[in-house]
């Protein structure tokens, strides 16, 4: 883990991230989607927390990230905000909430800051997204870019697959990253690109780059909370390393609870409230005299 965690509870700032990059200190980023997970990543000393639009499939049960709405992500982001003190909080702008115009992008970004307390927002794509990133940054909201595999437009990228695997396609990823950097993004996510391509692009980057499936040479790494903890057993892409097997452990815990209820081993005396014997006696007395009246 990086040495950044702010023991005094100070927020991780843009300056801090730039300093970490300059010092070669890896930046640790993870997603979170609710209050308990926010408290866990806070306690773990994470530097940057992303309320990713991956919430769509990870916690809301959609098939992909396309349907998730601004209001849904705002509710999750506000819950995460209430559980965080020091990490930087980044809200993901969902598909359809920033592409139409600079005005739309600024209005959505402002909602993430004003209604959910986000410190920054993230958007996907290089080309026109760079213009939107510039507009948002100029309107006072720090922006993180995202190139390579961009799930919101996965269909036009040919599906959920690594990007930049030919020289032309790698050049396209580089161009997108440079456009976002020139537009004033404070950081960029590189997702699912070959390590050698990342190495080459890194030579041109002057802002912190956070990788996911982009090899070891980025300034930091990001993983989805549920992936790294093994909360979704069915999902294990190549770039995920599991640091726990919580799905298994949670099924075990809930099954044991069910078994104990069914065999009347739960609740035990230690889980039950007591009453003084004389109060029970008085109650019994009351019930007897009431019964006489009935
Ligand atoms: O939505 C998300 O979780 C992301 C990360 C994979 C960077 O964009």
């Amino acid at each position: 883990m990086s040495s950044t965690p702010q023991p005094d509870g100070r927020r991780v700032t843009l300056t801090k991230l730039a300093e970490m990059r300059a010092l070669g200190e890896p930046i640790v980023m993870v997603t979170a989607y609710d209050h308990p997970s926010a408290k866990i990543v806070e306690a773990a000393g994470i530097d940057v927390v992303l309320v990713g639009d991956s919430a769509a499939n990870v916690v809301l049960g959609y098939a992909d990230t396309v349907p998730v709405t601004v209001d849904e992500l705002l509710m999750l982001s506000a819950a995460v905000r209430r559980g965080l003190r020091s990490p930087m909080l980044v809200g993901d702008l969902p598909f359809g909430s920033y592409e139409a115009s600079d005005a739309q992008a600024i209005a959505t970004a402002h909602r993430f800051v004003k209604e959910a307390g986000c410190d920054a927002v993230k958007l996907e794509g290089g080309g026109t997204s760079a213009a939107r990133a510039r507009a948002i940054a100029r309107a006072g909201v720090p922006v993180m870019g995202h190139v390579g595999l961009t799930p919101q437009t996965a269909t036009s990228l040919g599906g959920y697959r690594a990007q930049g695997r030919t020289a032309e396609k790698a050049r396209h990823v580089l161009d997108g990253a440079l456009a976002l950097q020139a537009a004033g993004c404070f950081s960029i996510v590189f997702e699912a690109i070959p390590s050698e391509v990342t190495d080459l692009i890194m030579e041109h980057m002057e802002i912190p780059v956070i990788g996911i499936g982009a090899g070891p040479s980025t300034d930091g790494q990001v993983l989805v909370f549920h992936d790294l903890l093994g909360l979704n057993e069915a999902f294990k892409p190549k770039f995920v390393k599991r640091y726990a097997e919580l799905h298994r452990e949670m099924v075990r815990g809930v099954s044991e609870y069910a078994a104990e209820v069914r065999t009347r081993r739960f609740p035990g005396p230690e889980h039950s409230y007591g009453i003084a014997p004389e109060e029970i006696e008085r109650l019994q007395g009351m019930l007897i005299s009431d019964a006489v009246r009935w």
Side-chain angles (χ1 to χ4, degrees):
M1 190 193 305
S2 92
S3 61
T4 13
Q6 312 278 289
D8 52 2
R10 269 185 298 125
R11 292 260 183 107
V12 172
T13 59
L14 303 185
T15 314
K16 180 74 193 169
L17 295 181
E19 275 170 18
M20 289 174 74
R21 175 184 180 276
L23 294 170
E25 253 185 64
I27 298 166
V28 188
M29 174 162 143
V30 72
T31 67
Y33 311 105
D34 60 15
H35 190 253
S37 55
K39 288 172 91 169
I40 290 167
V41 300
E42 167 83 45
I46 295 302
D47 302 310
V48 183
V49 176
L50 171 70
V51 180
D53 63 350
S54 51
N57 31 312
V58 176
V59 296
L60 296 178
Y62 294 119
D64 54 43
T65 60
V66 170
V68 72
T69 65
V70 171
D71 286 337
E72 285 168 328
L73 287 186
L74 285 177
M75 191 194 67
L76 301 180
S77 302
V80 171
R81 170 80 283 159
R82 290 189 284 272
L84 289 187
R85 281 191 317 140
S86 46
M88 175 180 291
L89 176 60
V90 181
D92 222 356
L93 302 185
F95 182 66
S97 73
Y98 60 92
E99 300 90 335
S101 65
D102 287 354
Q104 185 203 29
I106 293 169
T108 309
H110 280 163
R111 287 193 70 193
F112 274 82
V113 174
K114 288 165 72 104
E115 296 176 34
C118 289
D119 301 306
V121 296
K122 179 170 84 59
L123 48 66
E124 291 188 6
T128 49
S129 294
R132 303 291 174 252
R134 185 187 306 278
I136 295 170
R138 284 194 176 153
V141 180
V143 188
M144 180 178 269
H146 184 156
V147 296
L149 173 56
T150 46
Q152 292 176 7
T153 46
T155 311
S156 49
L157 295 175
Y160 289 86
R161 52 173 56 176
Q163 299 297 304
R165 297 184 99 169
T166 64
E168 291 74 21
K169 287 184 175 158
R171 178 68 212 227
H172 178 71
V173 177
L174 167 64
D175 289 344
L178 290 177
L180 290 165
Q181 177 167 266
C185 286
F186 72 93
S187 172
I188 304 189
V189 168
F190 284 10
E191 179 165 355
I193 56 178
S195 307
E196 297 90 330
V197 172
T198 302
D199 297 348
L200 283 176
I201 302 179
M202 286 305 288
E203 290 173 20
H204 303 271
M205 301 310 295
E206 292 161 5
I207 55 176
V209 173
I210 313 292
I212 174 164
S217 67
T218 52
D219 303 300
Q221 297 290 329
V222 55
L223 280 181
V224 165
F225 184 84
H226 292 59
D227 295 347
L228 80 91
L229 292 177
L231 275 157
N232 178 359
E233 233 184 9
F235 187 68
K236 172 105 182 47
K238 183 176 172 62
F239 56 79
V240 168
K241 178 169 177 185
R242 281 195 190 155
Y243 291 86
E245 292 293 347
L246 293 194
H247 176 85
R248 212 176 291 161
E249 178 57 13
M250 289 165 97
V251 171
R252 188 205 56 73
V254 177
S255 306
E256 201 173 317
Y257 159 70
E260 289 204 353
V261 170
R262 290 183 180 126
T263 54
R264 299 197 181 281
R265 276 180 292 144
F266 176 83
E270 69 277 32
H271 309 114
S272 308
Y273 295 103
I275 181 171
E278 59 274 21
E279 291 301 321
I280 278 289
E281 267 172 43
R282 280 199 328 110
L283 173 63
Q284 283 165 339
M286 279 177 205
L287 295 180
I288 288 166
S289 52
D290 283 353
V292 171
R293 258 182 275 126
W294 294 332

